[in-house]
Amino acid sequence: MLYHVQIEITLKPTVMDAQGTTIEKALHKMGHTTVGNVRIGKFVTLEIEAECPNCARGAAEEMCRELLANPIIEQYHVTVVESEAVA
Amino acid sequence: MKFGVVQFPGSNCDADCYYAIEHVTGQEVRYVWHEETEIGDLDCIVLPGGFSYGDYLRCGAVARFSPVMGAVMTHAAEGKFVIGICNGFQVLTEAGLLPGALYRNDHLKFVCKPQHLRVERADLPFTHFYSPRQVVEFPIAHGEGRYYADPETLARLEENGQVVFRYCDAEGNVTPEANPNGSLNNIAGIRGEGGNVIGLMPHPERRCDRLIGGTGGKKFFKGLAESLRVLEISRGLR
């Protein structure tokens, strides 16, 4: 099966996110004063040919650990969004 | 003794490093293409500054998987010298040859200027021609040079004396104002636990000729060549 996978990569909460802080300040200046804890990250989509949804997730998480994220500063969240039969 | 300078797609300080080594040490140096896997002829390999693989994903993240990096890992494991400057430092942290990570400067801007540094360790193969706590001035030029390590790693680095260079002011004071990118503990350069791998964001190779601003970086390469010479002699005596 072909699975569509979405991966969100963000800085860990313990790592200061300068982009997030700057954008939060800008939002406050625009009048969105109730906004807080703005974090900026990366969004990766990919397709994986795998046996099952969990297999696709496992493969994606391995890719995150090896390349897509730097576990020292970043965290990741994998979502297997849909699957469809390969034509 | 022989030096190598790696060329990744996007490296742009390779020629500067080559020139500095050849000009300062008078020793043999060659370029190492990122697809090479045989570097057994080299005693010291330099990963230069630049934007390897366009800095895609994270600085150094893709370069880490180049064919040459397998050879660099072996080279390091054999105790031979590895130097990462700027983007080279980022590649070494991504490859796990040095602890911690380098990420976006706290002010979000690319910073390009002369920067004072304090030599924290003047007893290393790379730094023994400097005096302890000597203030040197090397240029910095990076957007992602903010050093980060978790509290345990940071404490270990400090305990082991692995911090080699720290950002400071002209008098050698390590202050938040003298920190150009938000690096923890004003860290500008560190060495690995084995002592043979060093990474630094500032560019000593750009301070090896009076024509381009100064010669404060010469002692870095001279010291290194002297260390290699002593190693060669001791190997010969064995």
Side-chain angles (χ1 to χ4, degrees), chain A residues 15-16 18 42 66-68, chain B residues 57-58 64 100 103 106 108:
Chain A
V15 178
M16 198 270 200
K42 293 175 190 136
E66 286 180 357
L67 171 67
L68 299 178
Chain B
L57 197 62
R58 292 179 310 280
R64 175 201 160 184
Y103 75 117
D106 59 353
L108 302 175

Side-chain angles (χ1 to χ4, degrees), chain A residues 9 11-12 14-19 22 42 44 65-70 72-74, chain B residues 57-58 61-62 64-65 93-94 99-108 146 148-149:
Chain A
I9 302 156
L11 288 170
K12 285 179 177 175
T14 48
V15 178
M16 198 270 200
D17 180 353
Q19 283 189 91
T22 305
K42 293 175 190 136
V44 180
R65 284 191 297 272
E66 286 180 357
L67 171 67
L68 299 178
N70 180 343
I72 297 171
I73 49 171
E74 293 171 325
Chain B
L57 197 62
R58 292 179 310 280
V62 184
R64 175 201 160 184
F65 292 98
T93 56
E94 282 283 342
L102 294 145
Y103 75 117
R104 187 69 72 94
N105 295 348
D106 59 353
H107 46 74
L108 302 175
R146 183 181 196 182
Y148 174 87

